[in-house]
Amino acid sequence: MNTLLSILLLTLSILLATFVLQISKQLNHHLEKNSKPFDMVIGAKGSPLQLVLSAILHIDNPTGNIALDEALRISKNPMIKEAIPVSYGDNYRGYRILGTSDEYLHKYGATLKEGKLNTKNFEAVFGAAVAKKLNFSIGNSFVSSHGLIQNEIEVHGEKPFVMTGILAPTGTVVDHLIITNLESIWEVHEHEDEHLEYEKHKDEHKEITALLLNFRNPIGALQLSRSINKDTSLQGALPKFEIDRLLSFLGIGFQTINGIAMAILLVAGLSIFISLIKTVRERKHELALLRTYGATTFQLLKLVFLEALFLSLIGYILGWLLGRVSLLLFSALDSDTYTYHLEVNAPDIQEFFILVIVIFMTVLAAILASFSLFKLNISKNLADA
Amino acid sequence: MIRTTSLRFTYQNTKTHTFYFPDIDLSFEQNALILGPSGIGKTTLLHLMAGLLIPEKGNVFIGNTCVHQLTRNQLNNFRGKHIGIIFQRTYFIKSLTLLENLRIREKLSKKTTDQHRKKQLLEQLELTEVRNKKVHELSEGQRQRLSIALGVIHKPKVILADEPTSNLDDKNCEKVISLLKKEAQICKSNLVIITHDQRVKSHFNKHIIL
């Protein structure tokens, strides 16, 4: 009973620790990988974090639209190496439709798996995850819905898109996007404006949602973002900086859970210790008997240590497996919400480190528990009838 | 051969009584009974002879070895190889089977028994059929016989038995005594039995009375 409790506690702590470790690690990796291609985002004023989350990671709403000509004016700055405009705001069955240039796909290293890239207006390519989920074949057409959430209320019914190609999986946000060109996005909304007889801005400047930039050298970044934020109606946000900020917020949460895991681990260690003490006490007769058979104290110690290590290894392996299963469940539940899925990885170096801690703790518990073996009174334990 | 010289022992936790034991000297293959009322120190003497207790004074010689001059590890080793103890109460490794208990005993005493002897021993003790049973599934009599097997399987120089017949009826008492005598003969060892059982007396010539 006691033994079972020890294993259970150990399992729980390992489960928590490895689960949090994997989530934080994969989240870090995911965020870094996706924000890496761009040094800066320019968009409408608002929260810089929101701008990065929406324009780069595609998990938040945009801060608003910006005028294309104003954005292009900034992109002429000599410090800027390249600028990729993106425009979004529509979805098909919950998958975001992103109007952009071919350059965007190059930045994420996305290549075609089948079909061809979109060349004309109202042609679109699907990211790998989208294609898999929607089960589309090339040539199928679809109509977009307004907004970023799946709905049937505002459907751009007159202008259907044609799917011309499917991208190979990249492990980035591209997998979860439907890519088309900027003109298609503009055209969808122009028509709609006419149809709904919106008068304002009808012939006015074209708009985009954000401009993704890369600098010639990193010194330009701070300087330019400062001047944009001060002198224009736009804002420049640095993805790396914002992501780091986001991760530091999340880090507190991860650390808290890790702390809880460590506390449980400590209790597990204590429980193993108590269980071992009990074992030694209950089997005093057996241990004394083994001594009369010629077993040395060292051999008896070995028995206690083996039992302890056996317990903790079972606990660790069980906890690790359950951690991975949890990851799998979590991933299955939330892959649509977070536009990426968690992977079930082989044990990594940190998990090995946890194992080392567990073994160290077990050995310590075994040493403390087996002190009484050194003064085991064979005669007394075997004479007491 | 086993010999004790002026053994003296006091239990450290009580210190109330000091036991003085008469010297025992058994030649090759000689058996002996140690008799005496309860509380006189029979089991203490047996444990001193087995090296489980360390005497205050005096010594125990088995063969050419001076038992109480051995180091702790040497004593372990010596006890495992050359002394067989049959305790008053039967002790086993509960989670193992009969055969596994025998095997662990062989392994720890670093002596391998040939399969023929093991088989013969089990047959003699009528344990062959239950050899793969867990020890807690055995009957009282079977346990008693298993503890004899555990005391003699490694062919010790000395077999020490502590009240081996106390819980047995007349028929089984006879059987156990003759089994012990027979095994002592096979092993070419000294058999020392401590008892207050009058039924045993007639089977042995040498009586040591405490």
Side-chain angles (χ1 to χ4, degrees):
Chain A
M1 206 48 221
N2 208 306
T3 313
L4 207 68
L5 187 71
S6 312
I7 295 179
L8 221 73
L9 279 168
L10 192 61
T11 302
L12 184 65
S13 82
I14 300 300
L15 163 76
L16 271 179
T18 57
F19 183 68
V20 169
L21 196 70
Q22 283 298 318
I23 294 234
S24 80
K25 202 172 147 179
Q26 293 194 26
L27 191 64
N28 266 298
H29 181 71
H30 172 80
L31 292 177
E32 256 160 38
K33 190 174 172 187
N34 281 300
S35 58
K36 214 170 156 193
F38 302 107
D39 292 338
M40 188 162 102
V41 197
I42 293 177
K45 282 233 189 289
S47 150
L49 181 59
Q50 186 188 351
L51 182 59
V52 170
L53 288 180
S54 68
I56 290 193
L57 297 169
H58 302 280
I59 47 179
D60 203 351
N61 295 318
T63 48
N65 281 348
I66 59 174
L68 179 64
D69 53 2
E70 198 174 0
L72 287 178
R73 198 156 37 76
I74 291 173
S75 70
K76 291 207 177 69
N77 187 308
M79 281 188 283
I80 291 168
K81 194 167 85 185
E82 55 189 342
I84 300 168
V86 290
S87 188
Y88 52 93
D90 286 349
N91 78 85
Y92 174 63
R93 296 227 211 145
Y95 290 102
R96 295 181 179 210
I97 299 168
L98 183 74
T100 185
S101 60
D102 294 346
E103 268 305 293
Y104 182 83
L105 292 181
H106 291 311
K107 291 310 286 183
Y108 282 106
T111 51
L112 266 176
K113 198 175 87 186
E114 48 185 298
K116 63 178 194 64
L117 280 178
N118 53 318
T119 46
K120 294 201 246 358
N121 287 2
F122 291 99
E123 286 183 347
V125 290
F126 278 19
V130 184
K132 197 174 163 198
K133 199 79 174 233
L134 295 183
N135 204 13
F136 254 50
S137 18
I138 289 161
N140 285 7
S141 62
F142 62 94
V143 288
S144 59
S145 310
H146 195 67
L148 296 176
I149 303 161
Q150 178 176 2
N151 69 79
E152 269 83 44
I153 304 160
E154 285 182 73
V155 180
H156 304 306
E158 309 84 356
K159 285 286 175 184
F161 285 84
V162 175
M163 198 263 266
T164 60
I166 295 170
L167 299 169
T170 59
T172 66
V173 286
V174 175
D175 293 354
H176 297 268
L177 291 174
I178 296 170
I179 309 279
T180 183
N181 62 9
L182 282 168
E183 288 79 6
S184 307
I185 302 282
W186 290 329
E187 216 170 293
V188 166
H189 292 99
E190 270 166 20
H191 270 259
E192 189 174 76
D193 288 351
E194 253 168 42
H195 180 68
L196 295 170
E197 292 179 43
Y198 278 127
E199 282 307 311
K200 56 170 187 173
H201 308 312
K202 192 177 144 192
D203 309 315
E204 254 201 348
H205 315 292
K206 300 238 186 296
E207 288 188 328
I208 57 172
T209 322
L211 191 66
L212 310 173
L213 298 179
N214 276 309
F215 295 107
R216 285 189 200 284
N217 64 59
I219 307 160
L222 274 175
Q223 223 177 347
L224 191 65
S225 80
R226 206 174 296 144
S227 88
I228 289 170
N229 291 335
K230 207 172 115 200
D231 303 332
T232 69
S233 60
L234 309 177
Q235 73 159 331
L238 305 171
K240 191 178 172 338
F241 179 74
E242 297 302 328
I243 296 293
D244 281 352
R245 219 156 57 94
L246 176 67
L247 286 175
S248 75
F249 295 150
L250 293 174
I252 297 169
F254 288 143
Q255 269 169 18
T256 309
I257 302 177
N258 260 330
I260 295 171
M262 287 304 125
I264 300 176
L265 188 67
L266 218 68
V267 176
L270 207 68
S271 164
I272 290 178
F273 169 63
I274 292 168
S275 151
L276 287 178
I277 284 217
K278 248 182 95 178
T279 303
V280 171
R281 197 166 296 159
E282 276 168 9
R283 300 200 202 140
K284 259 191 332 206
H285 301 303
E286 292 187 358
L287 293 169
L289 185 71
L290 291 178
R291 285 294 302 276
T292 71
Y293 290 173
T296 57
T297 306
F298 180 73
Q299 278 171 310
L300 299 191
L301 285 179
K302 217 166 72 182
L303 283 182
V304 177
F305 274 68
L306 282 179
E307 173 164 337
L309 284 176
F310 185 67
L311 285 187
S312 60
L313 278 183
I314 286 187
Y316 182 86
I317 291 168
L318 221 63
W320 189 87
L321 286 175
L322 283 176
R324 286 300 193 271
V325 170
S326 311
L327 210 62
L328 214 63
L329 287 175
F330 194 68
S331 162
L333 283 174
D334 284 326
S335 68
D336 287 341
T337 325
Y338 296 113
T339 69
Y340 75 98
H341 72 281
L342 297 157
E343 283 163 21
V344 173
N345 292 327
D348 61 19
I349 188 81
Q350 280 105 326
E351 288 169 344
F352 178 74
F353 183 65
I354 295 177
L355 178 65
V356 171
I357 292 179
V358 168
I359 290 177
F360 177 76
M361 194 184 69
T362 310
V363 168
L364 195 72
I367 289 174
L368 291 175
S370 48
F371 267 138
S372 63
L373 282 183
F374 286 103
K375 32 181 200 187
L376 180 71
N377 190 332
I378 312 170
S379 166
K380 188 163 172 262
N381 278 302
L382 294 176
D384 285 352
Chain B
M1 284 182 306
I2 180 160
R3 187 158 60 86
T4 69
T5 53
S6 51
L7 282 175
R8 192 173 88 189
F9 186 82
T10 312
Y11 280 103
Q12 286 307 307
N13 48 356
T14 52
K15 283 186 182 171
T16 46
H17 186 251
T18 301
F19 295 100
Y20 297 87
F21 297 106
D23 290 355
I24 299 166
D25 192 349
L26 299 181
S27 55
F28 191 62
E29 284 188 51
Q30 196 184 1
N31 300 335
L33 273 189
I34 297 175
L35 296 155
S38 297
I40 198 83
K42 296 193 298 293
T43 299
T44 306
L45 177 58
L46 188 95
H47 284 191
L48 285 168
M49 289 165 84
L52 298 178
L53 288 175
I54 296 159
E56 231 173 275
K57 196 175 160 289
N59 222 320
V60 177
F61 298 86
I62 293 173
N64 297 318
T65 310
C66 177
V67 172
H68 292 291
Q69 267 171 17
L70 298 172
T71 64
R72 200 180 148 96
N73 274 336
Q74 282 172 331
L75 180 60
N76 268 321
N77 217 339
F78 183 83
R79 190 193 299 128
K81 273 194 176 125
H82 303 303
I83 301 176
I85 311 167
I86 297 147
F87 294 99
Q88 185 170 5
R89 219 181 113 188
T90 54
Y91 293 104
F92 311 104
I93 309 298
K94 288 187 209 95
S95 48
L96 299 182
T97 65
L98 190 155
L99 263 188
E100 285 165 341
N101 265 282
L102 281 175
R103 244 178 247 141
I104 201 165
R105 207 264 180 267
E106 289 171 81
K107 196 171 174 316
L108 286 172
S109 59
K110 292 170 194 134
K111 269 186 174 175
T112 43
T113 321
D114 60 278
Q115 289 304 310
H116 180 67
R117 166 157 168 78
K118 212 195 283 184
K119 214 175 144 193
Q120 212 178 27
L121 187 64
L122 287 178
E123 238 151 63
Q124 244 170 39
L125 296 170
E126 295 168 38
L127 291 172
T128 311
E129 276 176 18
V130 293
R131 65 189 184 279
N132 287 318
K133 278 195 175 177
K134 291 259 188 321
V135 284
H136 66 82
E137 297 169 325
L138 300 179
S139 73
E140 196 54 47
Q142 286 166 337
R143 282 186 216 191
Q144 182 84 28
R145 296 200 294 277
L146 172 59
S147 83
I148 292 173
L150 285 165
V152 302
I153 181 131
H154 56 303
K155 293 197 173 177
K157 287 182 178 165
V158 181
I159 299 168
L160 303 169
D162 191 352
E163 306 270 13
T165 58
S166 58
N167 301 319
L168 301 178
D169 56 35
D170 292 351
K171 200 179 126 214
N172 278 308
C173 175
E174 290 279 327
K175 211 157 130 188
V176 161
I177 294 300
S178 71
L179 272 172
L180 280 172
K181 280 172 91 169
K182 197 168 164 196
E183 273 307 318
Q185 213 174 7
I186 294 172
C187 303
K188 296 186 173 57
S189 47
N190 294 114
L191 171 66
V192 178
I193 296 175
I194 60 172
T195 190
H196 62 266
D197 191 341
Q198 300 301 316
R199 298 173 292 182
V200 187
K201 269 186 174 175
S202 58
H203 293 272
F204 295 89
N205 300 324
K206 191 169 171 77
H207 294 177
I208 297 158
I209 295 154
L210 296 189

